[in-house]
Amino acid sequence: MLKKNKLYYPGKELKNKAWVKNNSIYIKGGKNPIKFWGELAKEILWFKSPKKTFIHQPPYFKWFVGGKLNITQNALDRNLKERKNKVALIWEPEPLEEQSRILTYYDLYREVNRLANALKRLGVKKGDRVGIYLPMLPEVVISMLACARIGAIHIVVFSAFSSAALKIRLQDTKAEMLITADGYYRRGKIINLKQSVDKGIKGTKVKKVIVVKRAGNKISWKKNRDLWWKDIIEKEKDECKPEVMDSEDTLFILTESGTAGQYLQILHTTGGYTVQAYITGKWVFDFKDEDIFWCMADVGWATGHTYGVYSPLLNGVTFLIFEGAPDWPNPHRWAQIIEKYGVTTFYTAPTAIRMFEKYNGKISKKYKFESLQILGSVGEPINEATWHWYFQKVGKGRCPLVDTWWQTETGGILITSLPGVGPFKPAFTGLPFPGIKFDILDEKGNSLPVNKEGNLVILPPFAPGLLRGIYKSPKKYKKTYWSQYGNKIYFTSDVAYKDKNGLIRIVGRVDDVIKVAGHRISTGELENILSKHSNVIECAVMGVPHEIKGEVPIVFVVLKKKMSLEKVKKELIKKIREEIGPIVKPKEIYLVEDLPKTRSGKIMRRILKRLFTGEPLGDLSVLANPECIDEIRKRILSKA
Ligand code: WTA
């Protein structure tokens, strides 16, 4: 890597082998983005070519209109010609003594078709919703692809989510089928997943539950409803004709947290998503046939969908999925996996990188990471120190570090530096992907100059993979994304600024969504949950900085009746665990007499946050009850 001032550039060798070698791609993409994407779409196999590339009916839009395709034909069938016996998927189990599982492209093709045939036999049709509540097993990949094969819409639910979180997602999408497992390993323990299912599907429309036998734990069984995976695919054929999907037919739904505690059932369609997942992987990770790609994200998140499953398959590369936690049974595990398989391309989140950094000296000295060629980061801003650590200690200063910005809504990466072009600037994500138009606006909608912070927006024609709606809720769709600046400008809810080279730095979210270890959680959602406790009058939740997780929630609670802090803590944490899962444990819970409020009764979370971090409080004249400040400060200091 070459260094000029504070920027890094790929050296000659890196550049020469990259798919994209120079800046001209940005000029081409900027000139006529619609034509640009229209050309790129030709790299995909279509049953019928699109008639028109883009149609805009604000706030709705369509890509590759009239095109017919199936994403699995591109991900599987297409690879059978030259890569039939090439490894598609490597599965690394959590227990060290257990064997990994390896599936070639042909293996995966057959497994997908068998499950697809079984689903059809069980009555699943095009457009039906199928819930997938599986840990990181090959079966999760097979399930997603089997749904896509027959045109069913998959709704993957993160396996660490609680039964209540599962229920909401199944109810909102009216899924009638669920694919799950008996259990799985997490930090040496067996998690009984089926137990969550039995609870979570009560009150939903789920009629059949397909169960993968993974951990062999004891589970309860309901005859005629529960079916073993192994039994249903046993007699199925290896061939299943891919359903002909319209470019705008829905491929999947993925739930995310929006503002004010609401859930967003985000809709992604087939054509645009396929093109974007394919081309962003190809150019950002510079996918080549000999690559071994490890995207560490769980498949329950957007990153796990696009770069953990679809993009590597669309590009015919070998990819790895890992059942366990990267620091279990020892902090070396992630590094051992990279060395064991010769991972070439490693994509993870700042929260994981900060955790690796904690064990800095020992691990980075011990491992040479000679196989690594490209490093990626996603999910939250990566600060300069962590960027440098990742670049120097893991990438050994030779691997381009692509800091990729995107959202569940965008379907794929939209801002980043390209590995063969650069520049790579610590803490900056980079330039908009070729053919994508961004701007940074003030509150009134004026475009802001260099170095000025403002709201990050996407301008038409947006991106082929951008969401097409919120399932059965056009109101939420319009309000969340298309109301801030009218219906022709997509509002990302992120604050950003650009430097003189146009490189974008993401500052954070504008709304009340926080990122805990990269997971999107709305503070309103947490407040809703906590308020359900019968002894809570009101509460306020906010995110505060945390050295590993990025942000963690802290909670201020006003109680109706006296109760010990210990008891409140225990009950509130249990409540969150039940409703969401173990991933968002609050760092601190404080019992206070009153919360700082404006005269109109709005809780001033900003002031609470500053009290916690010790920053100057700013103007308190807006408060109706400034006398509560001292008491809250005392509580924070005494942790009582
Ligand atoms: C944040 C994850 C800074 C951002 C794929 C965005 C980032 C939200 C980056 C979406 C990055 C994502 N640098 N911030 N490279 N990538 N974000 O839906 O606030 O889980 O709006 O999608 O994560 O989170 P989501």
Side-chain angles (χ1 to χ4, degrees):
M1 299 285 287
L2 310 170
K3 191 176 175 184
K4 288 189 212 158
N5 293 327
K6 275 187 168 173
L7 304 177
Y8 293 85
Y9 287 90
K12 232 190 187 154
E13 203 187 324
L14 281 171
K15 221 179 171 69
N16 280 344
K17 69 182 196 58
W19 285 111
V20 181
K21 300 181 193 350
N22 59 55
N23 279 324
S24 61
I25 198 89
Y26 291 103
I27 298 164
K28 204 169 154 205
K31 227 188 232 164
N32 188 341
I34 297 174
K35 196 168 156 213
F36 180 75
W37 284 105
E39 287 296 317
L40 292 176
K42 292 185 183 151
E43 294 190 30
I44 288 294
L45 293 181
W46 300 84
F47 297 124
K48 201 169 149 205
S49 298
K51 283 207 193 75
K52 201 164 168 28
T53 307
F54 181 75
I55 292 181
H56 196 185
Q57 293 153 328
Y60 295 97
F61 57 92
K62 290 178 181 170
W63 279 93
F64 312 123
V65 185
K68 308 277 178 198
L69 77 163
N70 188 297
I71 193 167
T72 67
Q73 200 209 9
N74 282 278
L76 300 171
D77 310 43
R78 185 183 204 177
N79 288 314
L80 293 189
K81 262 197 209 142
E82 283 161 24
R83 305 186 175 106
K84 190 169 180 179
N85 297 315
K86 174 179 172 170
V87 174
L89 171 91
I90 302 168
W91 174 70
E92 169 79 1
E94 182 184 281
L96 288 168
E97 61 281 6
E98 207 177 313
Q99 287 285 317
S100 50
R101 270 170 70 190
I102 294 193
L103 280 88
T104 63
Y105 270 90
Y106 191 38
D107 291 335
L108 192 59
Y109 169 86
R110 285 179 300 186
E111 294 301 323
V112 167
N113 285 340
R114 291 172 78 190
L115 182 67
N117 284 327
L119 291 175
K120 271 203 206 163
R121 186 171 45 79
L122 291 166
V124 180
K125 293 183 298 298
K126 179 178 174 182
D128 287 353
R129 277 83 49 220
V130 175
I132 301 177
Y133 187 47
L134 277 170
M136 294 298 276
L137 299 174
E139 282 78 4
V140 76
V141 177
I142 296 167
S143 300
M144 289 164 73
L145 293 167
C147 288
R149 188 81 175 172
I150 63 171
I153 299 168
H154 59 70
I155 303 129
V156 180
V157 181
F158 183 34
S159 56
F161 273 148
S162 68
S163 53
L166 171 68
K167 191 191 297 282
I168 291 170
R169 285 153 179 82
L170 295 173
Q171 280 174 337
D172 280 4
T173 56
K174 302 190 171 55
E176 295 188 8
M177 165 81 74
L178 180 68
I179 309 178
T180 189
D182 52 354
Y184 62 98
Y185 291 91
R186 190 71 183 170
R187 297 186 181 280
K189 274 196 249 152
I190 291 180
I191 308 288
N192 188 335
L193 193 66
K194 179 65 168 42
Q195 198 173 24
S196 300
V197 170
D198 293 334
K199 235 168 118 186
I201 62 172
K202 279 196 192 124
T204 71
K205 292 202 176 311
V206 172
K207 295 195 185 80
K208 296 272 180 230
V209 179
I210 299 173
V211 187
V212 177
K213 191 167 196 155
R214 158 64 187 126
N217 49 307
K218 220 174 141 211
I219 55 175
S220 59
W221 197 259
K222 194 162 169 196
K223 233 177 135 190
N224 298 327
R225 184 198 70 187
D226 298 347
L227 308 158
W228 285 114
W229 171 293
K230 185 170 75 37
D231 296 343
I232 62 155
I233 62 161
E234 203 180 357
K235 294 204 182 96
E236 295 298 344
K237 286 207 208 77
D238 291 350
E239 299 290 334
C240 172
K241 245 177 104 180
E243 185 74 33
V244 176
M245 302 292 282
D246 188 88
S247 178
E248 287 293 319
D249 279 339
T250 303
L251 175 63
F252 66 85
I253 296 174
L254 189 57
T255 307
E256 261 300 354
S257 296
T259 52
Q262 59 177 350
Y263 293 100
L264 304 168
Q265 310 288 359
I266 292 164
L267 280 180
H268 281 291
T269 53
T270 309
Y273 178 84
T274 303
V275 172
Q276 199 178 313
Y278 163 73
I279 209 73
T280 52
K282 179 170 172 178
W283 288 358
V284 177
F285 299 112
D286 205 33
F287 281 142
K288 297 285 162 51
D289 239 331
E290 52 284 3
D291 281 344
I292 301 199
F293 179 54
W294 185 17
C295 165
M296 242 180 59
D298 191 280
V299 73
W301 306 97
T303 309
H305 277 62
T306 306
Y307 301 102
V309 177
Y310 285 116
S311 187
L313 289 170
L314 291 168
N315 282 282
V317 299
T318 300
F319 67 104
L320 185 109
I321 65 171
F322 173 43
E323 183 186 37
D327 60 341
W328 204 90
N330 61 61
H332 294 231
R333 186 73 191 267
W334 64 277
Q336 288 163 341
I337 293 175
I338 292 178
E339 300 262 296
K340 177 173 173 188
Y341 296 104
V343 170
T344 58
T345 319
F346 183 48
Y347 191 32
T348 188
T351 179
I353 303 167
R354 289 189 294 265
M355 185 182 80
F356 305 156
E357 195 182 353
K358 223 172 91 180
Y359 306 106
N360 177 5
K362 290 176 227 141
I363 297 184
S364 57
K365 262 192 217 128
K366 179 163 176 196
Y367 299 92
K368 301 271 176 294
F369 296 127
E370 271 162 358
S371 61
L372 283 178
Q373 293 177 16
I374 292 179
L375 301 176
S377 174
V378 62
E380 37 166 335
I382 176 167
N383 65 40
E384 269 194 74
T386 305
W387 194 99
H388 279 291
W389 182 84
Y390 191 33
F391 181 70
Q392 297 296 351
K393 305 291 177 179
V394 181
K396 311 292 181 192
R398 29 166 207 90
C399 307
L401 197 175
V402 290
D403 177 7
T404 62
W405 178 95
W406 60 292
Q407 309 178 298
T408 306
E409 289 85 347
T410 69
I413 297 166
L414 289 192
I415 307 176
T416 187
S417 300
L418 295 173
V421 184
F424 312 101
K425 180 174 178 179
F428 281 72
T429 56
L431 293 173
F433 194 82
I436 305 289
K437 287 187 169 170
F438 276 92
D439 204 351
I440 295 170
L441 305 180
D442 69 10
E443 291 299 323
K444 291 193 184 119
N446 301 312
S447 188
L448 287 167
V450 164
N451 288 332
K452 282 262 180 278
E453 269 182 25
N455 293 333
L456 184 71
V457 299
I458 313 178
L459 305 176
F462 317 112
L466 190 65
L467 85 162
R468 299 296 198 272
I470 299 295
Y471 188 66
K472 296 214 187 295
S473 185
K475 249 199 206 146
K476 269 195 204 167
Y477 173 70
K478 285 180 197 155
K479 184 156 183 284
T480 313
Y481 308 107
W482 308 98
S483 60
Q484 187 92 0
Y485 296 111
N487 62 6
K488 294 194 187 89
I489 295 183
Y490 172 89
F491 179 43
T492 64
S493 290
D494 275 5
V495 173
Y497 66 89
K498 56 176 188 268
D499 74 358
K500 63 177 194 304
N501 299 312
L503 302 176
I504 294 174
R505 177 169 189 156
I506 307 292
V507 178
R509 304 274 306 186
V510 288
D511 56 25
D512 58 1
V513 171
I514 60 174
K515 281 234 140 179
V516 183
H519 305 324
R520 247 165 91 173
I521 310 285
S522 109
T523 53
E525 178 182 347
L526 285 174
E527 286 170 5
N528 284 348
I529 292 169
L530 298 172
S531 307
K532 286 186 196 162
H533 188 288
S534 59
N535 199 20
V536 170
I537 299 182
E538 58 179 1
C539 63
V541 175
M542 63 232 64
V544 294
H546 183 270
E547 57 162 336
I548 304 286
K549 294 185 175 174
E551 275 185 305
V552 284
I554 58 165
V555 183
F556 293 86
V557 190
V558 183
L559 293 181
K560 285 184 194 153
K561 287 184 298 201
K562 258 200 147 109
M563 201 172 166
S564 79
L565 176 64
E566 214 170 296
K567 189 151 184 255
V568 178
K569 261 192 186 164
K570 219 167 135 193
E571 290 184 9
L572 292 182
I573 288 171
K574 185 164 166 252
K575 204 128 203 107
I576 296 179
R577 212 173 221 285
E578 280 167 9
E579 302 260 350
I580 301 183
I583 51 173
V584 273
K585 194 170 159 201
K587 180 177 153 67
E588 295 293 347
I589 295 178
Y590 299 104
L591 301 183
V592 294
E593 301 284 326
D594 202 0
L595 296 168
K597 286 184 194 140
T598 60
R599 275 160 232 282
S600 60
K602 203 169 173 290
I603 299 173
M604 294 293 286
R605 290 174 182 76
R606 197 174 64 226
I607 291 180
L608 288 167
K609 186 168 171 171
R610 288 181 185 156
L611 275 166
F612 181 87
T613 56
E615 288 166 84
L617 298 185
D619 183 12
L620 292 183
S621 64
V622 291
L623 290 183
N625 56 347
E627 64 283 355
C628 70
I629 297 290
D630 274 345
E631 187 243 352
I632 298 173
R633 188 181 283 122
K634 267 187 225 146
R635 291 289 161 104
I636 292 173
L637 291 175
S638 66
K639 288 201 169 188

